[in-house]
Amino acid sequence: MAAACAVTAAAVLLPLAQAAPESGRAGAGHQPLSQAVAPAAPADTCQDPEASLRPSDVDGATIARIKAAGKLVAGVDQNSFRWGYRNQSAEGRLDGFDIDLVKAIAKDILGDENAVIYRAIPTSQRVPALQEGRVDIVVRTMTINCKRLEDVAFSTAYFEAGQQVLVPKMSPITGYDGSLKDRRICTAAGSTAEAALRSQSYGSVSVSVPNQLDCLVRLQLGEVDGIITDNALAAGQAAQDPSVRLVGSPFTQEFYGVAMNKDAGDLVRRVNKVLENYRAGGPESPWMKAYRKHLEPVLPGVTAPPAPKYREG
């Protein structure tokens, strides 16, 4: 475990300034999104948060700005194994399921999958980064929900997950239940796991950290007794450290979406068009190829992406 902890800690401590990618410098003079985008439809009553705008490849103000800049600015993770992480076997380049999706979006809009500026952002900064115009999109295992729709817009769902508990293999914790009483449970700030634990703690002591991988480090150091996170993320963490395991069953059903500024309706529609193509082709679709490459080794049994939902208008 000590070796695993050392590797994980090194990833957490990587300065975010180094997360700007191989593909270019952070865009000087990047225009705030609020000044250059077409409006999206409001999230009114939010009875079906996964329902997004219908797909279109028509260029609007946001797409025009991205094309003029020549780069897509993407907020991603650099510490989530198999999703968005620095692959040491590939010279430390960003890799993972989310990164492949970013490349597909850049390829469609700019004709070059490498025309991306990657900005590694902590969980709690995903919404502010969009609102302040620091990024065009966030592709970072971000769950679509009604609360977030008050602040950002989402694409259709591109992956289904659920909250679950991750603990050391010899832990007496059995799941999201009374066995959490008096235990120190770690969640990432701004995550759906943090909200769930705030709503129903089962007598546990909540520990909040900026990034999900910080929880794994604290678990390895014995500073917390368990973690609540998406099972899709936890499966990757368990693959990194065989001394931990998932317990209980997923206690939520959640869908990841690409997040964008609320006013960037043309970009939302364009990303949904990309996702339509990304899902198409059955077992040989780009989505299934990315799943087999990145996620099947740690999260087997997925046979298809979630079906898209669209709202009227």
Side-chain angles (χ1 to χ4, degrees), residues 119-180:
R119 290 186 176 163
I121 53 176
T123 305
S124 60
Q125 287 299 303
R126 293 178 296 188
V127 169
L130 287 165
Q131 293 178 321
E132 296 164 11
R134 288 182 274 137
V135 298
D136 299 314
I137 61 175
V138 169
V139 188
R140 195 187 181 285
T141 58
M142 190 169 178
T143 299
I144 305 167
N145 61 39
C146 291
K147 176 63 176 174
R148 288 174 178 162
L149 280 169
E150 296 175 5
D151 300 312
V152 299
F154 279 100
S155 70
T156 53
Y158 69 85
F159 202 86
E160 182 179 348
Q163 295 295 315
Q164 202 166 348
V165 182
L166 185 74
V167 297
K169 283 190 172 177
M170 301 304 293
S171 171
I173 295 173
T174 56
Y176 186 61
D177 53 33
S179 66
L180 298 180

Coordinates of all heavy atoms in Angstrom, one line a residue, residues 119-180:
R119 N -7.3 22.0 -19.2 CA -7.1 22.6 -18.0 C -7.6 21.7 -16.8 O -8.8 21.4 -16.8 CB -7.8 23.9 -17.9 CG -7.2 25.0 -18.8 CD -7.8 26.3 -18.7 NE -7.0 27.3 -19.5 CZ -7.4 28.5 -19.9 NH1 -8.6 28.9 -19.5 NH2 -6.7 29.3 -20.6
A120 N -6.7 21.2 -16.0 CA -7.1 20.3 -14.9 C -7.7 21.1 -13.8 O -7.1 22.1 -13.4 CB -5.8 19.6 -14.4
I121 N -8.9 20.8 -13.5 CA -9.7 21.5 -12.5 C -10.2 20.6 -11.4 O -10.6 19.5 -11.6 CB -10.8 22.3 -13.1 CG1 -11.7 21.4 -13.9 CG2 -10.3 23.5 -14.0 CD1 -13.0 22.0 -14.5
P122 N -10.2 21.1 -10.1 CA -10.7 20.3 -9.0 C -12.2 20.1 -9.2 O -12.9 20.9 -9.9 CB -10.3 21.0 -7.8 CG -10.1 22.4 -8.2 CD -9.6 22.3 -9.6
T123 N -12.8 19.2 -8.5 CA -14.2 18.9 -8.5 C -15.0 20.2 -8.2 O -16.0 20.5 -8.9 CB -14.6 17.8 -7.6 OG1 -13.8 16.6 -7.8 CG2 -16.1 17.4 -7.6
S124 N -14.6 20.9 -7.2 CA -15.4 22.1 -6.7 C -15.3 23.2 -7.7 O -16.1 24.2 -7.6 CB -14.9 22.5 -5.4 OG -13.5 22.9 -5.5
Q125 N -14.4 23.2 -8.7 CA -14.2 24.3 -9.6 C -14.9 24.1 -11.0 O -14.7 24.9 -11.9 CB -12.8 24.6 -9.8 CG -12.1 25.3 -8.6 CD -12.8 26.6 -8.3 OE1 -12.8 27.5 -9.2 NE2 -13.3 26.8 -7.1
R126 N -15.6 23.0 -11.2 CA -16.1 22.6 -12.5 C -17.1 23.7 -12.9 O -17.1 24.2 -14.0 CB -16.8 21.2 -12.5 CG -15.7 20.1 -12.3 CD -16.4 18.8 -12.2 NE -17.2 18.6 -11.1 CZ -17.8 17.4 -10.7 NH1 -17.6 16.3 -11.4 NH2 -18.5 17.3 -9.6
V127 N -18.1 24.0 -12.0 CA -19.1 25.0 -12.4 C -18.5 26.4 -12.5 O -18.7 27.1 -13.5 CB -20.2 25.0 -11.4 CG1 -21.2 26.2 -11.6 CG2 -21.0 23.7 -11.5
P128 N -17.7 26.9 -11.5 CA -17.1 28.3 -11.7 C -16.2 28.4 -12.9 O -16.2 29.5 -13.5 CB -16.2 28.4 -10.4 CG -16.9 27.5 -9.4 CD -17.4 26.4 -10.2
A129 N -15.5 27.4 -13.3 CA -14.7 27.4 -14.5 C -15.5 27.7 -15.7 O -15.0 28.5 -16.6 CB -13.9 26.1 -14.7
L130 N -16.7 27.2 -15.8 CA -17.6 27.4 -16.9 C -18.2 28.8 -16.8 O -18.2 29.6 -17.8 CB -18.7 26.4 -17.0 CG -18.3 25.0 -17.5 CD1 -19.3 24.0 -17.2 CD2 -18.0 25.0 -19.0
Q131 N -18.6 29.2 -15.7 CA -19.3 30.5 -15.5 C -18.3 31.6 -15.7 O -18.8 32.7 -16.2 CB -19.9 30.6 -14.1 CG -21.1 29.6 -13.9 CD -21.6 29.7 -12.5 OE1 -20.8 29.8 -11.5 NE2 -22.9 29.6 -12.3
E132 N -17.1 31.5 -15.4 CA -16.1 32.5 -15.5 C -15.4 32.5 -16.9 O -14.5 33.3 -17.2 CB -15.1 32.4 -14.4 CG -15.7 32.6 -13.0 CD -14.8 32.2 -11.9 OE1 -13.6 31.9 -12.2 OE2 -15.3 32.1 -10.8
G133 N -15.8 31.6 -17.8 CA -15.2 31.5 -19.1 C -13.8 31.0 -19.2 O -13.1 31.2 -20.2
R134 N -13.3 30.3 -18.1 CA -12.0 29.7 -18.2 C -11.9 28.5 -19.1 O -10.8 28.1 -19.5 CB -11.5 29.4 -16.8 CG -11.2 30.6 -15.9 CD -10.7 30.2 -14.6 NE -11.8 30.0 -13.6 CZ -11.8 29.0 -12.7 NH1 -10.8 28.1 -12.7 NH2 -12.8 28.9 -11.9
V135 N -13.0 27.8 -19.3 CA -13.1 26.6 -20.1 C -14.4 26.7 -21.0 O -15.3 27.4 -20.6 CB -13.1 25.3 -19.3 CG1 -11.8 25.2 -18.5 CG2 -14.3 25.2 -18.4
D136 N -14.3 26.0 -22.1 CA -15.5 25.9 -23.0 C -16.4 24.8 -22.6 O -17.6 24.9 -22.7 CB -15.1 25.7 -24.5 CG -14.2 26.8 -25.0 OD1 -14.6 28.0 -24.8 OD2 -13.2 26.5 -25.6
I137 N -15.8 23.7 -22.2 CA -16.5 22.5 -21.8 C -15.9 21.9 -20.6 O -14.7 22.1 -20.3 CB -16.6 21.4 -22.9 CG1 -15.2 20.9 -23.3 CG2 -17.3 21.9 -24.1 CD1 -15.2 19.8 -24.3
V138 N -16.6 21.1 -19.8 CA -16.1 20.3 -18.7 C -16.5 18.8 -19.0 O -17.6 18.5 -19.1 CB -16.6 20.7 -17.3 CG1 -16.2 19.7 -16.3 CG2 -16.0 22.1 -16.9
V139 N -15.5 18.0 -19.2 CA -15.7 16.6 -19.4 C -14.9 15.9 -18.3 O -13.7 15.6 -18.4 CB -15.2 16.1 -20.8 CG1 -15.6 14.6 -21.0 CG2 -15.8 17.0 -21.9
R140 N -15.6 15.7 -17.1 CA -14.9 15.3 -15.9 C -15.8 14.5 -15.0 O -16.1 14.9 -13.9 CB -14.4 16.5 -15.2 CG -13.3 16.3 -14.1 CD -13.0 17.6 -13.4 NE -12.0 17.3 -12.3 CZ -12.2 16.7 -11.2 NH1 -13.4 16.2 -10.9 NH2 -11.2 16.6 -10.3
T141 N -16.3 13.4 -15.5 CA -17.2 12.5 -14.7 C -18.2 13.3 -13.9 O -18.4 13.1 -12.7 CB -16.5 11.5 -13.8 OG1 -15.6 12.3 -12.9 CG2 -15.6 10.6 -14.6
M142 N -18.9 14.3 -14.6 CA -19.8 15.2 -13.9 C -21.2 14.8 -14.1 O -21.7 14.7 -15.2 CB -19.6 16.6 -14.5 CG -20.3 17.7 -13.7 SD -19.7 19.3 -14.3 CE -20.7 20.4 -13.3
T143 N -21.9 14.5 -12.9 CA -23.2 14.0 -12.9 C -24.2 15.1 -13.3 O -24.1 16.3 -12.8 CB -23.6 13.5 -11.5 OG1 -22.7 12.4 -11.3 CG2 -25.0 13.0 -11.5
I144 N -25.1 14.8 -14.2 CA -26.2 15.7 -14.5 C -27.3 15.7 -13.4 O -27.7 14.6 -13.0 CB -26.9 15.3 -15.8 CG1 -25.9 15.2 -17.0 CG2 -28.0 16.2 -16.2 CD1 -26.4 14.4 -18.2
N145 N -27.6 16.9 -12.8 CA -28.7 16.9 -11.9 C -29.4 18.3 -11.9 O -28.8 19.2 -12.5 CB -28.3 16.5 -10.5 CG -27.2 17.5 -9.9 OD1 -27.2 18.7 -10.1 ND2 -26.3 16.9 -9.2
C146 N -30.5 18.4 -11.3 CA -31.3 19.6 -11.4 C -30.6 20.8 -10.7 O -30.7 21.9 -11.2 CB -32.7 19.4 -10.7 SG -33.8 18.3 -11.6
K147 N -29.9 20.6 -9.6 CA -29.2 21.7 -9.0 C -28.2 22.3 -9.9 O -28.0 23.5 -10.0 CB -28.6 21.1 -7.7 CG -27.7 22.2 -6.9 CD -28.5 23.3 -6.5 CE -27.7 24.3 -5.7 NZ -28.4 25.6 -5.3
R148 N -27.4 21.4 -10.5 CA -26.3 21.9 -11.4 C -26.9 22.6 -12.7 O -26.3 23.5 -13.2 CB -25.4 20.8 -11.8 CG -24.5 20.4 -10.7 CD -23.7 19.2 -11.0 NE -22.8 18.8 -9.9 CZ -22.2 17.7 -9.7 NH1 -22.4 16.7 -10.6 NH2 -21.4 17.4 -8.7
L149 N -28.1 22.2 -13.1 CA -28.7 22.8 -14.2 C -29.1 24.2 -14.0 O -29.5 25.0 -14.9 CB -29.9 22.0 -14.7 CG -29.6 20.7 -15.5 CD1 -30.8 19.9 -15.7 CD2 -29.1 21.1 -16.9
E150 N -29.2 24.6 -12.7 CA -29.4 26.1 -12.4 C -28.2 26.9 -12.8 O -28.3 28.1 -13.0 CB -29.6 26.2 -10.9 CG -30.9 25.5 -10.4 CD -31.1 25.6 -8.9 OE1 -30.2 26.3 -8.3 OE2 -32.0 25.0 -8.4
D151 N -27.0 26.3 -12.9 CA -25.8 27.1 -13.2 C -25.1 26.8 -14.5 O -24.4 27.6 -15.0 CB -24.8 26.7 -12.0 CG -25.3 27.1 -10.7 OD1 -25.9 28.2 -10.5 OD2 -25.2 26.3 -9.7
V152 N -25.3 25.6 -15.0 CA -24.6 25.2 -16.3 C -25.6 24.4 -17.2 O -26.7 24.0 -16.7 CB -23.4 24.3 -16.0 CG1 -22.3 25.1 -15.2 CG2 -23.7 23.0 -15.4
A153 N -25.2 24.2 -18.4 CA -26.0 23.4 -19.3 C -25.3 22.0 -19.5 O -24.0 22.0 -19.4 CB -26.2 24.1 -20.7
F154 N -26.0 21.0 -19.9 CA -25.4 19.7 -20.1 C -25.8 19.1 -21.4 O -26.9 19.4 -22.0 CB -25.9 18.7 -19.0 CG -25.2 18.8 -17.7 CD1 -25.8 19.5 -16.6 CD2 -23.9 18.2 -17.5 CE1 -25.1 19.6 -15.4 CE2 -23.3 18.3 -16.3 CZ -23.9 18.9 -15.2
S155 N -24.9 18.3 -21.9 CA -25.2 17.5 -23.1 C -26.1 16.3 -22.6 O -26.5 16.2 -21.5 CB -23.9 16.9 -23.6 OG -23.4 15.9 -22.7
T156 N -26.5 15.5 -23.6 CA -27.1 14.2 -23.2 C -26.1 13.4 -22.4 O -24.9 13.6 -22.5 CB -27.6 13.5 -24.5 OG1 -26.5 13.3 -25.4 CG2 -28.7 14.2 -25.2
A157 N -26.6 12.4 -21.7 CA -25.8 11.5 -20.9 C -24.8 10.7 -21.8 O -25.2 10.1 -22.8 CB -26.6 10.6 -20.1
Y158 N -23.6 10.6 -21.3 CA -22.7 9.7 -22.0 C -22.2 8.5 -21.2 O -21.5 7.6 -21.7 CB -21.5 10.5 -22.6 CG -20.5 11.0 -21.5 CD1 -19.5 10.2 -21.0 CD2 -20.6 12.3 -21.1 CE1 -18.6 10.7 -20.1 CE2 -19.7 12.8 -20.1 CZ -18.7 12.0 -19.7 OH -17.8 12.6 -18.7
F159 N -22.6 8.4 -19.9 CA -22.2 7.3 -19.1 C -23.1 7.2 -17.9 O -23.6 8.2 -17.4 CB -20.8 7.3 -18.6 CG -20.2 6.0 -18.3 CD1 -19.7 5.2 -19.2 CD2 -20.3 5.5 -17.0 CE1 -19.2 3.9 -18.9 CE2 -19.8 4.2 -16.6 CZ -19.3 3.4 -17.6
E160 N -23.5 6.0 -17.5 CA -24.3 5.8 -16.3 C -23.4 5.2 -15.1 O -22.6 4.3 -15.3 CB -25.4 4.8 -16.6 CG -26.3 4.6 -15.4 CD -27.5 3.6 -15.7 OE1 -27.7 3.3 -16.9 OE2 -28.2 3.2 -14.7
A161 N -23.6 5.8 -13.9 CA -22.9 5.4 -12.8 C -23.8 5.4 -11.5 O -25.0 5.7 -11.7 CB -21.7 6.3 -12.5
G162 N -23.2 5.1 -10.4 CA -24.0 5.2 -9.1 C -23.1 5.4 -7.9 O -21.9 5.0 -8.0
Q163 N -23.5 6.0 -6.9 CA -22.7 6.2 -5.7 C -22.5 4.9 -4.9 O -23.5 4.2 -4.8 CB -23.3 7.3 -4.8 CG -23.4 8.7 -5.4 CD -22.0 9.3 -5.6 OE1 -21.2 9.2 -4.8 NE2 -21.8 9.9 -6.8
Q164 N -21.3 4.7 -4.5 CA -21.0 3.5 -3.7 C -19.9 3.8 -2.7 O -19.2 4.8 -2.8 CB -20.6 2.3 -4.7 CG -20.8 1.0 -4.1 CD -20.8 -0.1 -5.1 OE1 -20.8 0.2 -6.3 NE2 -20.7 -1.4 -4.7
V165 N -19.7 2.9 -1.8 CA -18.7 3.1 -0.7 C -17.4 2.2 -1.0 O -17.5 1.1 -1.3 CB -19.3 2.7 0.7 CG1 -18.3 2.9 1.8 CG2 -20.5 3.5 0.9
L166 N -16.3 2.9 -0.9 CA -15.0 2.3 -1.1 C -14.2 2.2 0.2 O -14.1 3.3 0.9 CB -14.2 3.0 -2.1 CG -12.8 2.4 -2.5 CD1 -13.0 1.2 -3.4 CD2 -12.0 3.5 -3.3
V167 N -13.7 1.1 0.7 CA -13.1 0.9 2.0 C -11.9 0.0 1.9 O -11.8 -0.8 0.9 CB -14.1 0.3 3.0 CG1 -15.3 1.3 3.2 CG2 -14.6 -1.0 2.6
P168 N -11.0 -0.1 2.9 CA -10.0 -1.1 2.9 C -10.6 -2.5 3.0 O -11.7 -2.7 3.5 CB -9.2 -0.8 4.2 CG -9.5 0.7 4.5 CD -10.9 0.9 4.0
K169 N -9.9 -3.5 2.5 CA -10.5 -4.8 2.4 C -10.9 -5.4 3.7 O -11.9 -6.2 3.8 CB -9.6 -5.8 1.7 CG -9.5 -5.5 0.2 CD -8.8 -6.6 -0.6 CE -9.0 -6.4 -2.1 NZ -8.2 -7.4 -2.9
M170 N -10.3 -5.1 4.8 CA -10.6 -5.6 6.1 C -11.5 -4.7 6.9 O -11.8 -5.0 8.1 CB -9.3 -5.8 6.9 CG -8.3 -6.7 6.3 SD -9.0 -8.4 5.9 CE -9.3 -9.0 7.5
S171 N -12.1 -3.7 6.3 CA -13.0 -2.8 7.0 C -14.3 -3.5 7.4 O -14.9 -4.3 6.7 CB -13.3 -1.6 6.1 OG -14.3 -0.8 6.7
P172 N -14.9 -3.1 8.6 CA -16.2 -3.6 9.0 C -17.4 -2.8 8.3 O -18.5 -3.2 8.4 CB -16.2 -3.3 10.5 CG -15.3 -2.1 10.7 CD -14.2 -2.3 9.6
I173 N -17.1 -1.8 7.5 CA -18.1 -1.1 6.8 C -18.7 -2.0 5.8 O -18.0 -2.6 5.0 CB -17.6 0.2 6.2 CG1 -17.1 1.2 7.3 CG2 -18.6 0.9 5.3 CD1 -16.4 2.4 6.9
T174 N -20.0 -2.0 5.7 CA -20.7 -2.9 4.7 C -21.4 -2.2 3.6 O -21.9 -2.8 2.7 CB -21.7 -3.8 5.5 OG1 -22.7 -2.9 6.1 CG2 -21.1 -4.7 6.5
G175 N -21.4 -0.9 3.6 CA -22.1 -0.1 2.6 C -22.6 1.2 3.1 O -22.2 1.7 4.2
Y176 N -23.5 1.8 2.3 CA -24.1 3.1 2.7 C -25.2 2.8 3.7 O -26.4 2.7 3.3 CB -24.6 3.8 1.5 CG -25.1 5.2 1.7 CD1 -24.3 6.2 2.2 CD2 -26.4 5.6 1.4 CE1 -24.7 7.5 2.4 CE2 -26.9 6.8 1.6 CZ -26.1 7.8 2.1 OH -26.5 9.1 2.3
D177 N -24.9 2.6 4.9 CA -25.8 2.1 5.9 C -25.3 2.5 7.3 O -24.4 3.2 7.5 CB -26.1 0.6 5.8 CG -24.8 -0.2 5.8 OD1 -23.8 0.2 6.5 OD2 -24.8 -1.3 5.1
G178 N -25.9 1.9 8.3 CA -25.5 2.2 9.7 C -24.1 1.8 10.1 O -23.6 2.3 11.1
S179 N -23.5 1.0 9.3 CA -22.1 0.7 9.6 C -21.1 1.9 9.4 O -20.0 1.8 9.8 CB -21.6 -0.5 8.7 OG -21.6 -0.1 7.3
L180 N -21.6 3.0 8.9 CA -20.8 4.2 8.7 C -20.8 5.0 10.1 O -20.0 6.0 10.1 CB -21.4 5.1 7.6 CG -21.4 4.6 6.2 CD1 -22.1 5.6 5.3 CD2 -20.1 4.2 5.7

